[in-house]
Each structure stands twice: as structure tokens, then as C-alpha cells.
């Protein structure tokens, strides 16, 4: 474990989409058993393929390597089986309040009483979800990023026990991650709102015809020295997920500026979801921004 403390034996992950897979990988690569549940057989099969690929890419580090790591990930078709004996249960289902409440209700009823429950929600405050679990004191939000992102934002609600926050910090440190703990609850997490402001403004500029996605990303990458720009990052997140998150903000505020732009609706309806569908703002697996010379090229 290379200087980290293993503080979880079994982590149950409810939802085998993009984030569920990344969390399962993050557990397995640090030697922690992960159980993945999803109602979709295709999602479970794809999850194991992605976790294996991530572990193979990370092989040679201080984790158990690809073969040993894959052995630590178990697919569970039954939710109760998945959460049985879990120390942590992390919900990663789509960004829909009613769905999350229903799933968290099932989780709370089936999970051992001493287990902690977290939601990987990007935009829903924990106070909207906690009572669904039947154990609000042992519930918190934890927002994970891409596999190479060390930061995980932790945000409790007014009823979260301090011991739950402490346990979340120990758990994340045990996975080699860096917890950033919000001092107060706010919709969308504090630092995630900074990303949301960049994302929202980028979408506004594209919708208004001010800049293309490539122009925004090129400028951003030149300014900040990053390997990817805001639009490329939205492709990684998934444009369907981006739209769902923006719709949550819009439903709460009623502010027309919070509504996702029409062009994003059309992209999602066409199945242009980003990396996971092979096309979004860019075409994958070889997006334009990774090509030699692209950064300093001119669109004129």
C-alpha cells in the first residue's frame, strides 16, 4: 500500500457506468475488493473490460497489477448481494433525484448497519438524499474524478456525523487519494462549481457562435498548459451527464442561463456523448487535440 492505510475490506459500487468503473479501478489498484452492481448486463460486461484495461495501463506501479487487481473486482447482479458485508457503499447511478433516492433506499435497507454510504452525485446536495438511506448520519457525498485525478471532494450535510467525515478521509487516503472536504454544503460541491462555471461559459460561447469547441480548448491549453481543454473534458465526463447536471441547476434556479443549450440536446439525441460513444466535440479514440502540431495550428 506504500504508506497508505487500508481502511476498507469491501467497497460496493452501485452503478457500473463511467464513474462506477473508475471507482472500482481505484479500489482494485490499491488492493481493496470492489463489488459492482448494475441493472444492465451490458454495463457490467463493459465495466470489467474497462477496469481490466485501466489496471493493465497501471501495471508496474505499487498496486497488485492487472491480474491480481481484476481478481479483486466482482460483478453482482443482485443489489443485496453486492452490499452484503460492505464497509462502504458508493452510489453512482444517473443524475436523477428520484432514481437516486429509490436506489439509496434499497441500499440503506440491505447494507450492514455499521457501513457508510456515499453518493458520487455531481450536483445534488446530500441533504436531498440522506433521509432515503435510513441512516443520514452515516451518509455523505464523495465526488470522484478521472482515474488519474487524485482529488475527491467530500461534502456532508447538516446531519452527517463528524465520524463519517473522518472515515471518508481515512478511506480515501487509503486509496492514495486526496480528500478535499467542504466546510458547508452547497449545490454541486465548492470546487466542482468552479469547473461548472468554466463548463457553462464554454457551452454559452459555442451556442452563441463566439468560438468553436476546438478554439476554446486550444486557447485554454495554451493559457494553462493543460493536456486537455474544457470541451475535451466534457467529452470525458459524457455529454449526456453534462446535460443532466446542467438541467439540475436549471430546475433549481429557473434561470434561463442555467438551461443547457439546444445544440447540446441535439448532440445527445444523436448519440454524440463523447469518449464513451466515440464522438462528441471530438472523434475518438484519437481526438484532434492529441495530434502533433494541433495546439499551435490555425483554423484560418
Amino acid at each position: 500500500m506504500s504508506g497508505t492505510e487500508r481502511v476498507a475490506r469491501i467497497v460496493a459500487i452501485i452503478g457500473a457506468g463511467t464513474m462506477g468503473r473508475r471507482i472500482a479501478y481505484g479500489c482494485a489498484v490499491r488492493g481493496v475488493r470492489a463489488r459492482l452492481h448494475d441493472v444492465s448486463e451490458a454495463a457490467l460486461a463493459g465495466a470489467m473490460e474497462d477496469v481490466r484495461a485501466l489496471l493493465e495501463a497501471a501495471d508496474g506501479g505499487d498496486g497488485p497489477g492487472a491480474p491480481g487487481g481484476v481478481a479483486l473486482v466482482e460483478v453482482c447482479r443482485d443489489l443485496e448481494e453486492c452490499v452484503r458485508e460492505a464497509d462502504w457503499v458508493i452510489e453512482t447511478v444517473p443524475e436523477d433525484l428520484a432514481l437516486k433516492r429509490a436506489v439509496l433506499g434499497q441500499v440503506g435497507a440491505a447494507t450492514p448497519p455499521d457501513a457508510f454510504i456515499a453518493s458520487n452525485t455531481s450536483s445534488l446536495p446530500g441533504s436531498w438524499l440522506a433521509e432515503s438511506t435510513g441512516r443520514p448520519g452515516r451518509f455523505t457525498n464523495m465526488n470522484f474524478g478521472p482515474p488519474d485525478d487524485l482529488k475527491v471532494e467530500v461534502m456532508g450535510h447538516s446531519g452527517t456525523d463528524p465520524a463519517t467525515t473522518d472515515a471518508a478521509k481515512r478511506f480515501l487516503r487509503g486509496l492514495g487519494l486526496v480528500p478535499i472536504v467542504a466546510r458547508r454544503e452547497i449545490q454541486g460541491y465548492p470546487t466542482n462549481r468552479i469547473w461548472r462555471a468554466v463548463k457553462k461559459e464554454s457551452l454559452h460561447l459555442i451556442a452563441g457562435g463566439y468560438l468553436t469547441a476546438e478554439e476554446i480548448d486550444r486557447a485554454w491549453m495554451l493559457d494553462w498548459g493543460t493536456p486537455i481543454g474544457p470541451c475535451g473534458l466534457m467529452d470525458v465526463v459524457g455529454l449526456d451527464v453534462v446535460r443532466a447536471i446542467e438541467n439540475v441547476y436549471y430546475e433549481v434556479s429557473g434561470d434561463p442561463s442555467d438551461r443547457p443549450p439546444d445544440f447540446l440536446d441535439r448532440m445527445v439525441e444523436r448519440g454524440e456523448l463523447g469518449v464513451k460513444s466515440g464522438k462528441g466535440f471530438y472523434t475518438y479514440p484519437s481526438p484532434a487535440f492529441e495530434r502533433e502540431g494541433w495546439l499551435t495550428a490555425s483554423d484560418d
Side-chain angles (χ1 to χ4, degrees), residues 37 49 53 56 60 72 92 99 139 148 164 175 180 201 204 211 213 217 241 274-275 281 287:
H37 168 75
E49 291 179 10
E56 287 174 350
L72 292 170
T92 67
L99 174 62
F139 175 81
D148 57 352
T164 299
L175 296 182
I180 304 295
E201 189 63 21
H204 167 72
L211 288 172
D217 283 1
V241 176
V275 175
F281 288 114

Side-chain angles (χ1 to χ4, degrees), residues 91 93-106 121 124-125 128-129 132-133 248 251:
E91 168 271 307
V93 303
E95 200 76 353
D96 178 278
L97 179 59
L99 174 62
K100 285 185 181 288
R101 283 175 171 168
V103 169
L104 287 169
Q106 292 178 293
T121 175
L124 301 171
W128 298 4
L129 303 168
S132 303
T133 68
V248 171
E251 289 165 6

